[in-house]
């Protein structure tokens, strides 16, 4: 029975490659949800790529000018060529795919797109999105020079893989500002998914973000449906359950995890299970020491209180103790304008800051901010703000 299950998993995995290889040659509408992209950004992209694009969302609005962008499962290159225009000539776009037919389609049109744009900033690479350190083109060269014919050769191949990951990684640590993906993560085997999210986190710079569009389910998908090659390769039964999709980002170390778009009606329903498209944006940057510098934040509302991913509770209108790292984090995306940042009257130099126990949610008395010896009395000013008088 166990062998039969393994065989079915291998069949499902093989069906993904075969189906997308065929889809690189001929259009297969069943592989995509209707998605609206900016028509201005599609003008430079060849029709052959547009016709063979298979996705369920558009994460490119979360790309910024001048950034280095990585597209996971880049397929024919549509998302990469859109991002190339957004990041501009100072930016860079990397597409990673393990399907040679799709890579061939994307690479074929790269010179023509670059000529229209007036710059070349897109690089398509051969690799697995759950193993972004291993360059499969480099590995192919090693296998050509040193074919594997026996167990000793297999062991040597494993050492070669590790050397390539270490010395010539496909995508280096902390080298990317934004990771994109469009309806691809659901095609990765269940046993590889923790590594997949760890790799996304690894390649992102501190302060970077992942913007992922994918198919999710509202219920757990039974094993027998997961083993259906047609449903798996069609981006259906490999779907993450919606809550578990968000948890995967959290477990990998991301913060500020947000569903920025969710399809209201299901794309497909199978045996009562609904499958729909969502786009999630998650940020990297909460790692590091917690230092006490006398800072506080006050949550503006509209809720009475909110709790972050680390269990810190912020009460509306109350000064809450935060470490220096969190103080700075809450003034950036996606928290902009949610909190008032309150600096102490006497700033504590970073080199003098002591460790802060962040495990508790603690209110900070105004006297902690102003100082116990602060007894100033001021006169009324002519106006409450730059806009003019308030009286």
């Amino acid at each position: 029975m166990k062998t039969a299950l393994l065989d079915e998993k291998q069949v499902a995995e093989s069906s993904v490659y075969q189906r997308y290889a065929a889809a690189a040659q001929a259009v297969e509408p069943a592989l995509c949800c209707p998605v609206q992209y900016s028509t201005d950004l599609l003008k430079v992209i060849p029709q052959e790529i547009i016709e063979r694009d298979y996705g369920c969302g558009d994460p490119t609005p979360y790309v910024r000018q001048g950034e280095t962008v990585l597209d996971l499962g880049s397929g024919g290159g549509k998302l990469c060529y859109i991002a190339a225009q957004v990041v501009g000539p100072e930016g860079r776009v990397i597409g990673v795919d393990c399907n040679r037919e799709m890579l061939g389609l994307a690479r074929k049109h790269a010179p023509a797109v670059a000529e229209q744009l007036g710059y070349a900033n897109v690089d398509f690479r051969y690799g697995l999105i759950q193993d972004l350190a291993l360059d499969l083109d480099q590995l192919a060269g090693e296998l050509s020079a040193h074919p594997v014919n026996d167990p000793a050769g297999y062991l040597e191949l494993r050492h070669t893989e590790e050397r390539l990951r270490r010395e010539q990684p496909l995508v280096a640590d902390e080298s990317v500002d934004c990771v994109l993906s469009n309806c691809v993560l659901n095609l990765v085997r269940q046993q590889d998914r923790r590594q997949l999210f760890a790799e996304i986190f690894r390649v992102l710079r501190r302060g970077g973000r992942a913007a992922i569009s994918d198919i999710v389910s509202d219920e757990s998908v039974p094993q027998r449906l997961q083993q259906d090659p047609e449903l798996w390769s069609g981006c259906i039964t490999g779907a993450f359950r919606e809550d578990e999709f968000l948890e995967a980002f959290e477990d990998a170390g991301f913060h500020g995890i947000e569903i920025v778009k969710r399809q209201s009606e299901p794309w497909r329903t199978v045996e009562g299970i609904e499958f729909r498209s969502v786009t999630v944006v998650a940020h990297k940057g909460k790692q590091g020491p917690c230092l006490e510098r006398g800072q506080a934040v006050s949550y503006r509302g509209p809720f009475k209180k909110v709790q972050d991913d680390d269990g810190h509770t912020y009460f509306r209108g109350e000064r809450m103790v935060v470490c220096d790292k969190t103080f700075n984090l809450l003034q950036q995306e996606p928290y902009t304008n949610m909190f008032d940042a309150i600096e102490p009257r006497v700033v504590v130099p970073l080199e003098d800051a002591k460790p802060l126990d962040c495990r508790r949610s603690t209110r900070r008395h105004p006297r902690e901010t102003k100082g116990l010896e602060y007894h100033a009395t001021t006169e009324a000013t002519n106006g409450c703000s730059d806009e003019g008088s308030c009286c």
Side-chain angles (χ1 to χ4, degrees):
M1 181 65 175
K2 185 175 181 181
T3 302
L5 289 176
L6 288 173
D7 288 344
E8 287 172 349
K9 284 185 178 180
Q10 290 165 355
V11 168
E13 188 175 42
S14 175
S15 71
V16 172
Y17 189 98
Q18 293 170 5
R19 190 166 183 179
Y20 278 82
Q25 310 301 322
V27 180
E28 187 177 351
L31 284 177
C32 59
C33 303
V35 181
Q36 293 293 325
Y37 296 92
S38 170
T39 53
D40 289 341
L41 297 175
L42 297 179
K43 291 178 181 177
V44 303
I45 302 176
Q47 192 62 30
E48 183 181 21
I49 290 177
I50 294 175
E51 290 174 350
R52 289 161 177 75
D53 175 64
Y54 307 104
C56 61
D58 179 15
T60 58
Y62 305 97
V63 172
R64 306 286 180 261
Q65 186 176 3
E67 291 187 329
T68 295
V69 174
L70 170 65
D71 180 21
L72 303 180
S74 50
K78 179 178 174 179
L79 221 62
C80 289
Y81 290 130
I82 291 174
Q85 299 170 73
V86 178
V87 301
E90 301 302 317
R92 184 184 179 200
V93 180
I94 303 165
V96 171
D97 207 293
C98 67
N99 190 293
R100 281 201 173 277
E101 287 76 13
M102 281 293 186
L103 274 176
L105 174 62
R107 287 169 170 172
K108 179 176 76 171
H109 293 287
V113 174
E115 184 176 357
Q116 289 198 61
L117 292 179
Y119 54 86
N121 64 350
V122 182
D123 178 20
F124 293 102
R125 302 179 186 179
Y126 185 31
L128 295 164
I129 65 173
Q130 66 267 37
D131 189 358
L132 291 169
L134 183 61
D135 187 326
L136 294 183
D137 278 327
Q138 293 278 358
L139 183 62
E142 294 283 349
L143 283 169
S144 178
H146 308 285
V148 175
N149 301 312
D150 53 33
Y154 168 70
L155 293 175
E156 183 58 35
L157 175 63
R158 295 180 64 182
H159 292 306
T160 298
E161 287 184 11
E162 289 307 311
R163 175 176 57 80
L164 291 175
R165 289 187 181 96
R166 183 176 62 254
E167 298 177 0
Q168 297 173 283
L170 183 74
V171 184
D173 294 358
E174 300 184 346
S175 60
V176 173
D177 298 297
C178 184
V179 172
L180 303 177
S181 184
N182 191 358
C183 207
V184 175
L185 270 57
N186 68 81
L187 298 173
V188 173
R189 300 182 308 173
Q190 296 284 0
Q191 58 265 44
D192 293 335
R193 292 186 174 183
R194 182 173 290 275
Q195 180 184 352
L196 165 66
F197 280 87
E199 282 291 87
I200 296 172
F201 192 84
R202 175 184 68 82
V203 301
L204 276 169
R205 295 187 177 106
R206 185 178 183 84
R209 78 204 76 85
I212 309 294
S213 296
D214 222 298
I215 297 294
V216 296
S217 63
D218 64 342
E219 300 179 46
S220 297
V221 180
Q223 191 72 29
R224 59 182 176 78
L225 291 180
Q226 292 184 37
Q227 292 161 358
D228 184 312
E230 186 72 15
L231 290 174
W232 185 283
S233 63
C235 300
I236 301 298
T237 56
F240 291 80
R241 202 176 72 198
E242 190 167 349
D243 59 326
E244 292 178 346
F245 189 47
L246 300 175
E247 287 172 6
F249 287 96
E250 186 177 350
D251 291 345
F254 286 95
H255 72 90
I257 304 158
E258 184 179 8
I259 299 174
V260 295
K261 189 169 184 179
R262 183 180 186 274
Q263 190 179 29
S264 57
E265 293 299 318
W267 174 43
R268 282 194 62 181
T269 302
V270 179
E271 296 187 9
I273 303 172
E274 293 183 350
F275 298 87
R276 56 173 41 83
S277 167
V278 298
T279 299
V280 172
V281 176
H283 301 257
K284 176 178 176 177
K286 70 173 185 177
Q287 289 66 37
C290 296
L291 300 175
E292 167 68 283
R293 299 187 68 195
Q295 299 145 318
V297 296
S298 177
Y299 171 57
R300 293 180 174 182
F303 299 107
K304 185 174 183 178
K305 61 181 178 180
V306 293
Q307 187 178 71
D308 66 18
D309 293 332
D310 293 319
H312 305 135
T313 300
Y314 305 95
F315 297 92
R316 182 177 56 210
E318 297 195 43
R319 300 178 182 218
M320 303 302 297
V321 174
V322 289
C323 66
D324 181 65
K325 176 186 64 180
T326 301
F327 180 80
N328 292 305
L329 210 63
L330 294 180
Q331 297 177 61
Q332 303 169 18
E333 291 184 344
Y335 314 107
T336 310
N337 298 323
M338 292 177 63
F339 295 87
D340 287 315
I342 304 167
E343 291 270 17
R345 192 171 64 86
V346 179
V347 177
V348 178
L350 192 59
E351 58 271 19
D352 294 337
K354 301 287 192 284
L356 175 66
D357 183 357
C358 280
R359 291 173 294 181
R360 294 182 300 168
S361 299
T362 308
R363 294 167 175 81
R364 192 179 292 282
H365 193 281
R367 280 289 172 182
E368 289 184 72
T369 302
K370 295 180 293 186
L372 295 175
E373 303 303 318
Y374 184 69
H375 300 293
T377 301
T378 63
E379 298 295 330
T381 60
N382 292 328
C384 296
S385 67
D386 294 336
E387 281 74 30
S389 174
C390 63
C391 299

